[in-house]
Amino acid sequence: MISVTKLSRSYGSTLAVDDVSFDISSGEVVGLLGHNGAGKTTIMKIITGFIEPSSGTVEIDGLVLGEDTTGIQKKIGYLPENCPVWPEMRVADYLIYQARLHLVDYKSVGPLVSEAIKKTRLIEKATAKIDTLSRGYRQRVGVAQALLHKPDILILDEPTNGLDPNQILQMRELIKELAETSTVIVSTHVLQEVQAICERVLIMRGGKLVLDSKISDLQSDNKIIFHFQPSEMDVTTALQDSASVKSVEKLHNDQTVCLRVGIDKKEIPTVVRSLVSAGADIVSIVPERRTLETVFAEVSTEGST
């Protein structure tokens, strides 16, 4: 559905996106994460045809950005972080106007606008002027304009920005519903949102793509925390020499020797028996609990000073 290849974009001497490549399949819900200035918004603006890349290609459903930009834009619904709305317009009128900008057939405008209003729970505000709405309701208007023409791809930049807890839950359910018929890219600073609605995450740092993984794979990483009583035995070397162990990282060495060990869980009994036979004094063995927050912290700070 979406193929991004060696994408780069410079603003003067600043390289905002640096040789980024990824593919997104039809129906995926993908979270795009990164600190401010990581390159997320630039990538979304390139995919939507708002700005051109300095180099690289974007192909969407067989169409190439630059050659078929208009055709690509017809397939996309886009919610920018600061959604441009006309405050003097009423909600329904604004959505009708947006439908016409999307070249929706005149007979379909009414039904599509009504459906978008229902999905975003804007019925009670349909005749209200946008400048009278709270920030949360304005955000819902932005989501409504993004989805009203039933796009194949939805790109949502901070879709829960300004929403209260109940509205956030409703937005999560809406995004899950939209994912049944559309490919969805969500950019957000709220990691819990990605964990709740996305099946895959792309993490940017300094313009580079530093992680592309399914969230389930991140959480199932085979790492075990071993605590040993200090002894003459070099447990670190013993673990490193084991064919079953993939990695060994020393966390601290004070009252106990603490090691993070990469190992397939089914191999743990064999390794433990071998360590005990060699004289190791094992205090505890605990599976490492990883969350998206810990993974994001790891890849966002790696190599930084």
Side-chain angles (χ1 to χ4, degrees), residues 34-262:
H35 292 301
N36 290 335
K40 309 185 303 299
T41 297
T42 298
I43 285 177
M44 289 186 288
K45 286 181 177 179
I46 291 173
I47 292 175
T48 57
F50 184 74
I51 61 174
E52 295 181 351
S54 300
S55 62
T57 60
V58 176
E59 185 174 327
I60 295 178
D61 203 18
L63 302 177
V64 178
L65 189 69
E67 300 174 9
D68 310 294
T69 299
T70 301
I72 286 174
Q73 289 174 332
K74 289 179 180 179
K75 295 177 174 290
I76 294 176
Y78 180 40
L79 172 68
E81 183 176 1
N82 297 307
C83 182
V85 292
W86 282 263
E88 70 278 4
M89 296 185 75
R90 300 185 187 278
V91 171
D93 292 337
Y94 168 75
L95 293 177
I96 291 170
Y97 175 61
Q98 288 292 321
R100 297 302 295 146
L101 288 179
H102 284 295
L103 303 179
V104 172
D105 179 77
Y106 184 77
K107 293 181 180 179
S108 302
V109 170
L112 288 177
V113 168
S114 296
E115 184 178 351
I117 286 173
K118 289 178 183 177
K119 283 185 175 181
T120 52
R121 292 173 170 80
L122 283 168
I123 294 175
E124 63 184 39
K125 301 292 184 180
T127 59
K129 286 190 175 182
I130 293 175
D131 63 3
T132 67
L133 302 180
S134 67
R135 184 177 182 181
Y137 273 112
R138 289 192 187 199
Q139 191 73 354
R140 286 202 251 178
V141 173
V143 175
Q145 67 80 25
L147 62 85
L148 68 86
H149 61 297
K150 294 185 178 295
D152 296 328
I153 300 166
L154 270 170
I155 299 178
L156 308 176
D157 196 354
E158 301 288 349
T160 59
N161 191 21
L163 303 187
D164 64 36
N166 286 333
Q167 292 169 341
I168 288 173
L169 292 176
Q170 292 168 1
M171 185 61 68
R172 287 179 183 175
E173 292 305 313
L174 174 59
I175 292 173
K176 290 177 182 178
E177 178 185 339
L178 294 172
E180 296 176 2
T181 55
S182 301
T183 301
V184 182
I185 302 175
V186 179
S187 177
T188 178
H189 290 89
V190 184
L191 300 183
Q192 293 88 340
E193 292 305 304
V194 175
Q195 193 117 10
I197 62 178
C198 298
E199 56 199 51
R200 180 175 159 208
V201 63
L202 306 174
I203 299 181
M204 299 288 298
R205 186 185 74 232
K208 292 183 176 293
L209 181 64
V210 293
L211 182 73
D212 178 356
S213 176
K214 290 187 175 181
I215 292 178
S216 59
D217 291 341
L218 293 176
Q219 296 172 330
S220 62
D221 196 19
N222 294 316
K223 296 290 180 67
I224 306 295
I225 304 299
F226 279 79
H227 285 267
F228 299 90
Q229 285 288 1
S231 66
E232 295 181 0
M233 179 183 174
D234 187 348
V235 291
T236 301
T237 300
L239 283 165
Q240 290 172 337
D241 290 343
S242 172
S244 302
V245 172
K246 301 173 184 176
S247 63
V248 180
E249 178 185 358
K250 183 173 288 187
L251 299 182
H252 61 75
N253 186 5
D254 41 38
Q255 293 182 350
T256 63
V257 178
C258 181
L259 303 175
R260 179 190 284 124
V261 180

Side-chain angles (χ1 to χ4, degrees), residues 246-289:
K246 301 173 184 176
S247 63
V248 180
E249 178 185 358
K250 183 173 288 187
L251 299 182
H252 61 75
N253 186 5
D254 41 38
Q255 293 182 350
T256 63
V257 178
C258 181
L259 303 175
R260 179 190 284 124
V261 180
I263 183 175
D264 192 322
K265 290 181 174 58
K266 65 183 181 182
E267 300 292 337
I268 293 175
T270 301
V271 171
V272 168
R273 284 193 293 267
S274 175
L275 289 170
V276 172
S277 298
D281 189 352
I282 301 175
V283 177
S284 65
I285 304 171
V286 182
E288 184 177 40
R289 302 297 180 187

